[in-house]
Amino acid sequence: MSALQVDLPEQDQKATSNMANGSAVMRTAEERTPVWPLWRIVLFGMYAAGLFLLVLFGGNEHDWMMQMDPSIQKGSIESNGNRQVFTGLVLASICVTQGFAIATAASTGQKIFSGSLIVLACAIWFVLSFNA
């Protein structure tokens, strides 16, 4: 071994020799398949749980009364707004977790997917909060 040569692992030596020959390095299907780490799966689980909470607690909490007695006016029952605050915090946590997923995503497709999940959660929150 000369002074300029470095002892590379076998795979790196093969890639270096292929590059020296001018041929492209071919990767196997296993090497091309993205591996989703466990923390990324946990982030999407948190998203699903947050979306469930948005749907569960979104809307008007007194809708069931109006369905049972149609004489009750829609604005006659006041609410303290805790539901709105809670769903806003859930939406913020959804956006933070998906923002972290965007920041750590390996590919553009994963970033677009996480961004579209944020938009979907905002749309659901808007419909449930201001349409009630």
Side-chain angles (χ1 to χ4, degrees):
M1 208 185 307
S2 71
L4 295 177
Q5 290 180 340
V6 179
D7 188 24
L8 297 174
E10 184 179 324
Q11 184 179 11
D12 289 340
Q13 288 176 352
K14 184 190 290 183
T16 306
S17 65
N18 283 342
M19 292 160 97
N21 295 338
S23 64
V25 178
M26 297 299 295
R27 297 188 320 191
T28 63
E30 288 178 352
E31 291 174 337
R32 286 190 304 251
T33 306
V35 177
W36 283 52
L38 180 61
W39 60 268
R40 194 157 176 79
I41 294 170
V42 168
L43 285 178
F44 287 115
M46 290 170 62
Y47 172 82
L51 203 60
F52 175 73
L53 288 174
L54 270 181
V55 171
L56 184 65
F57 290 107
N60 189 352
E61 59 198 303
H62 303 293
D63 277 342
W64 63 274
M65 288 180 169
M66 293 174 218
Q67 291 173 356
M68 291 182 71
D69 187 7
S71 66
I72 297 175
Q73 298 292 328
K74 191 166 191 164
S76 64
I77 302 174
E78 292 184 24
S79 112
N80 59 6
N82 286 341
R83 187 173 282 233
Q84 190 83 357
V85 171
F86 177 73
T87 57
L89 289 173
V90 169
L91 178 68
S93 67
I94 286 174
C95 292
V96 167
T97 57
Q98 289 306 303
F100 184 70
I102 289 172
T104 58
S107 69
T108 306
Q110 290 175 352
K111 291 179 183 188
I112 291 172
F113 180 67
S114 292
S116 62
L117 289 179
I118 291 175
V119 170
L120 175 68
C122 290
I124 289 173
W125 179 79
F126 183 79
V127 166
L128 291 176
S129 296
F130 298 111
N131 209 14

